[in-house]
Amino acid sequence: MSNSDELRALLGRFPAGVAVVTVDAGGQRLGLTVGSLVALSLDPPLIGFSISRQAALHELLREAGGCAISLLAAGQDWLAEHFARGVPPIGMWHGIATEAGASGAPLLVGALGWLECALREEVEVGTHTLFVCDVRRVEHFSDAPALVRVRGAYTAA
């Protein structure tokens, strides 16, 4: 087993919160499920997440200069799967309840909460880019359990 496979196997046993990053770049809306969201600083409020440079969202995020992040609640695994599959843009938003964020990026209804962010910096890391973002707005809706991914499955935490 290679180091990459061993790392994937070990980290797969470590629960990760599930969120959907969305952008609106000139009317082109796109979303992607991430399990890499991390708080980097509370003062100033900064978050980070990594996106594959091959993902369609990668360049649109750069173009948009910011994003919205919906932190998913338990029971929203269908949303996580929907935005993880690479649904074609024409069908991505069909049947998905959203509200428009301040920058136009869609916010997913029913989430634990939302973050609206502006890009601050990018760091190339292997096959991905770590996007560091200034948190401009925080909305908290529910004390419901969070959706997490562990051992290849979604569960509540």
Side-chain angles (χ1 to χ4, degrees):
M1 187 181 270
S2 72
N3 281 344
S4 296
D5 292 337
E6 289 176 5
L7 180 61
R8 181 183 307 240
L10 177 59
L11 291 181
R13 298 179 69 186
F14 189 74
V18 182
V20 175
V21 175
T22 59
V23 298
D24 183 321
Q28 188 173 2
R29 300 185 322 158
L30 201 59
L32 182 67
T33 301
V34 299
S36 60
L37 182 68
V38 62
L40 298 173
S41 171
L42 295 177
D43 187 16
L46 302 173
I47 56 97
F49 53 87
S50 64
I51 302 287
S52 168
R53 285 195 290 282
Q54 301 300 314
L57 184 84
H58 190 275
E59 291 308 311
L60 280 180
L61 179 56
R62 285 177 156 169
E63 184 181 326
C67 63
I69 303 169
S70 298
L71 285 71
L72 299 185
Q76 289 188 306
D77 42 311
W78 68 276
L79 273 174
E81 291 173 6
H82 177 80
F83 288 101
R85 281 193 311 238
V87 176
I90 195 163
M92 178 161 283
W93 303 102
H94 182 72
I96 306 296
T98 64
E99 289 187 23
S103 67
L107 301 163
L108 302 181
V109 172
L112 290 179
W114 300 326
L115 303 172
E116 292 190 81
C117 305
L119 285 183
R120 181 182 183 114
E121 65 182 277
E122 303 174 23
V123 181
E124 288 192 17
V125 286
T127 58
H128 287 60
T129 299
L130 173 67
F131 290 95
V132 177
C133 298
D134 289 305
V135 177
R136 299 288 170 89
R137 180 173 164 235
V138 177
E139 291 268 346
H140 180 253
F141 300 110
S142 171
D143 286 329
L147 183 67
V148 297
R149 186 164 175 88
V150 63
R151 297 182 186 264
Y154 294 109
T155 190

